[in-house]
Amino acid sequence: MDTGVSIRPVQPSSTAPVRTEYVPERQTVRTELPEVAAVTPPAATFDARARDSQRSLRAELSTAFESRERAGASKETQRRVFYNDDAGEVVITRVDPETGSIINQFPDDAILRQRAYVRQSLTDTQNADKQFPTAVVA
């Protein structure tokens, strides 16, 4: 009695073409370098660059605000320049002397908060690296 269900061998309908041309191997590059060859900028160099960029930023901002004052900006406002320790940035504000409210500020509060967050996270990472040094495998 035949139920119609039988296993029959299936022949492939077509075969994939075989590539016969020569494909040259790519040049490979080592991705793991010994510790001596790894490049990391020293902290002193980074700090020196940061100080130099802050000096140039202060000079540019001071020149920009002075040129605005000469161009006819309001003489009734006071300009205050101070250093924000959390963000590590120079902040320039225009303050109304009568009310003490800030009229204009550069950089904005949101940017200062962002830079303070990034600076704190970098400090935390550096402290964690000092606390838990990585093992050197020879």
Side-chain angles (χ1 to χ4, degrees):
M1 181 157 106
D2 186 18
T3 60
V5 180
S6 62
I7 299 174
R8 295 180 216 143
V10 178
Q11 301 228 346
S13 61
S14 66
T15 59
V18 178
R19 193 173 193 173
T20 57
E21 74 239 22
Y22 171 72
V23 179
E25 289 185 20
R26 293 183 182 173
Q27 294 281 336
T28 59
V29 179
R30 275 184 33 200
T31 57
E32 294 181 16
L33 297 175
E35 188 174 340
V36 176
V39 179
T40 55
T45 305
F46 179 75
D47 292 341
R49 279 191 231 142
R51 280 193 302 271
D52 291 342
S53 66
Q54 286 177 357
R55 284 187 197 125
S56 63
L57 178 65
R58 286 180 194 147
E60 289 176 22
L61 291 175
S62 179
T63 305
F65 271 102
E66 287 172 4
S67 65
R68 277 190 179 180
E69 283 180 356
R70 279 187 240 119
S74 176
K75 297 294 180 182
E76 294 113 21
T77 61
Q78 294 177 346
R79 183 178 79 179
R80 295 182 186 162
V81 179
F82 61 94
Y83 185 78
N84 185 320
D85 292 324
D86 294 334
E89 293 288 328
V90 175
V91 180
I92 301 173
T93 59
R94 283 213 179 266
V95 180
D96 184 3
E98 294 175 5
T99 62
S101 62
I102 296 175
I103 298 169
N104 193 3
Q105 176 178 322
F106 180 82
D108 194 34
D109 281 335
I111 293 173
L112 289 175
R113 285 192 302 270
Q114 179 185 24
R115 290 180 181 166
Y117 174 78
V118 169
R119 189 172 183 186
Q120 184 62 41
S121 65
L122 288 175
T123 304
D124 291 345
T125 304
Q126 290 171 352
N127 290 340
D129 289 344
K130 289 178 186 174
Q131 194 172 23
F132 303 108
T134 57
V136 177
V137 178

